[in-house]
Amino acid sequence: MEQSKFDKLCELTAGDYQAFLYDCDGTLADNMAAHTESYVDAAKEHDVIFDPAIIDELAGWPIANVVEEINSRYNCSLVPAAFKARKAEIFASKYLEEIQPVEHVVAHLRANAGKKRIAVVSGGDTAAIERTLEVLGIRDLVEVLVCAGDTERGKPYPDPFLRAAELLGVAAEQCLVFEDGRPGVQAAEAAGMHWVRVDQLTFG
C-alpha cells in the first residue's frame, strides 16, 4: 500500500527537533493560485501584464520585494506600498474566506502541537496570515508568528527564521522548517536549519 503524504512527512521529521517552523501560503494553505491571481488583478489595474510564473519563483518573498522585482523585469513603476495594499484588498474580498488546507501539512502541525514548539514564518502580511490560520482552524496552535516587516530582511535571508527561533527560545539547529519554495529553503539553510519541501516531500 502506498505511503500517505502525512506518513511520509512524519517519517521525514522524526529527528530530535524542539521546534517546527511552518511557512503559510502554499505550505499550510493551498492558496498560491489565489495569491497569484491577486497579483495579476492588481497589476492589470495599472495596465501591467507579467508572467505569473514569477510569483512561484519568488514564493516566500515579502510582497513589496516581489513588486520591486516586477518593476525591474518589466520596466514599470508600481508603487510597492500601494500595490501591496490593493493586492491585500483583492485577496481578502475574493479568496481569503475560501482557503483550503494542504491537508498533510495541517494534519502534521495538529499532530505535533503540544509536543513541539510551533511557529509560522511567512512573507505575507500579519493580518492576512492571522486570518488564514483562523480559516484553517489552527491559529490557537501557533505560538509565534513572524510575518513581513517583523524583520529588516525577509526570505531568502535567514532573518525571519532566526527571529522565530529567538522568540521560541530554541536554538536554530533544533528547528525544522517546512516550505514549498526555493527562497524559503535558502532562508532555512542560511539560518542553519534543516528543512522539508512539503510539495516534494524532500529533506535537506
Side-chain angles (χ1 to χ4, degrees):
M1 183 170 139
E2 185 179 355
Q3 188 179 31
S4 73
K5 288 184 177 181
F6 173 75
D7 289 340
K8 177 66 172 176
L9 192 56
C10 290
E11 186 179 283
L12 287 172
T13 60
D16 186 25
Y17 300 102
Q18 291 187 15
F20 288 160
L21 280 47
Y22 299 85
D23 176 44
C24 184
D25 299 329
T27 296
L28 290 166
D30 186 10
N31 61 357
M32 285 309 294
H35 274 293
T36 298
E37 286 301 314
S38 300
Y39 271 106
V40 170
D41 291 348
K44 280 181 180 175
E45 293 178 355
H46 298 275
D47 298 318
V48 173
I49 308 296
F50 62 88
D51 182 352
I54 191 175
I55 307 305
D56 285 336
E57 177 190 339
L58 305 180
W61 281 33
I63 295 166
N65 296 121
V66 175
V67 175
E68 289 168 356
E69 187 67 16
I70 291 171
N71 284 339
S72 174
R73 294 192 195 184
Y74 291 88
N75 194 29
C76 51
S77 54
L78 298 169
V79 179
F83 185 96
K84 178 175 148 184
R86 180 59 184 143
K87 182 216 170 274
E89 288 175 357
I90 293 170
F91 182 76
S93 65
K94 293 179 68 173
Y95 304 108
L96 183 53
E97 299 303 317
E98 307 302 322
I99 285 172
Q100 297 298 308
V102 178
E103 295 283 2
H104 64 290
V105 187
V106 170
H108 185 272
L109 186 153
R110 288 184 181 281
N112 285 282
K115 301 174 185 174
K116 308 286 187 183
R117 308 296 300 279
I118 303 292
V120 167
V121 182
S122 170
D125 290 334
T126 301
I129 299 303
E130 289 265 18
R131 184 59 190 150
T132 298
L133 297 175
E134 289 170 2
V135 171
L136 296 177
I138 55 175
R139 178 62 187 96
D140 60 330
L141 302 179
V142 177
E143 299 174 64
V144 162
L145 189 59
V146 177
C147 295
D150 289 340
T151 56
E152 185 175 346
R153 302 180 301 179
K155 303 172 190 176
Y157 294 98
D159 308 31
F161 288 127
L162 292 174
R163 177 64 175 153
E166 178 187 1
L167 291 170
L168 289 171
V170 175
E173 61 270 18
Q174 294 175 323
C175 297
L176 179 62
V177 168
F178 297 77
E179 275 286 351
D180 69 306
R182 182 62 192 153
V185 166
Q186 290 172 322
E189 290 176 342
M193 299 176 182
H194 286 135
W195 52 266
V196 171
R197 276 288 295 263
V198 301
D199 53 331
Q200 302 171 349
L201 292 175
T202 53
F203 176 92

